[in-house]
Amino acid sequence: MIERKKKILILQLSLLVIGIIIIFTTYLNNQSSTGKKILLETTEEKIAEELKDKKKENINSNTFFNIEYSGLDFSGNRFILKSGEATTFTSNSELVNLKDVKATFYFKDGTVLVVKSELGEYNSRTLDMKFSKDVKAIYINNELTANNAEYSNSSGKLIISNMVKVISPSGDLLADKLTFDVKNQVLEIDSFNENKINANIKK
């Protein structure tokens, strides 16, 4: 009789242990599945949000390739502005963001000024232009490099700034800023620090 009770007790303990193992395993699997589900949902939400932002950006902007603007500035000089890529936004359609930029100014005396840059901006209403990143300009026999340039149609001036270097037959020049008066075709040299003007005059 005692032996039979002992067997029943062992059987009950075994069933209890098996039951605990099954419950524990099921709980862990549920937790893992829930974690995977939350992670999957988070990833899907992030992707959906990124696609939504991209779609919204595309709706609010228009991109054109190999565009060309031309006209006359306030001084009566003809200009042609070319760009490999131009982007406009519905929030401000007058402002155009440019890539691979080339602006050519034809002056009344027959001389030509060419300005190139990797990036730029053009205001189709005011005709103002901005050039940035690897700015290069050529005027007669003078070559110029800088980080930034800005043409103001209202003032008729092209302001070239930030690491300006001019190479010309008469000598080389390093300065902070150059201002080219398009109307009068006069070049002014400015510096925030006199030590930054470095001229090498050739004889």
Side-chain angles (χ1 to χ4, degrees), residues 25 57 78 89 107 114 121 131 138 143 157 184 187:
T25 305
E57 182 182 330
R78 185 167 64 92
F89 297 90
F107 301 120
V114 178
E121 287 182 3
F131 307 87
I138 298 175
E143 296 183 10
K157 292 183 179 180
N184 301 311
L187 182 64

Side-chain angles (χ1 to χ4, degrees), residues 140-179:
I140 308 180
N141 294 322
N142 302 296
E143 296 183 10
L144 180 149
T145 60
N147 290 333
N148 301 98
E150 184 173 348
Y151 172 69
S152 173
N153 185 37
S154 58
S155 65
K157 292 183 179 180
L158 175 67
I159 300 174
I160 303 161
S161 60
N162 199 346
M163 300 294 292
V164 182
K165 181 178 181 180
V166 179
I167 302 173
S168 70
S170 59
D172 301 340
L173 175 70
L174 297 176
D176 290 309
K177 185 174 73 171
L178 299 180
T179 302

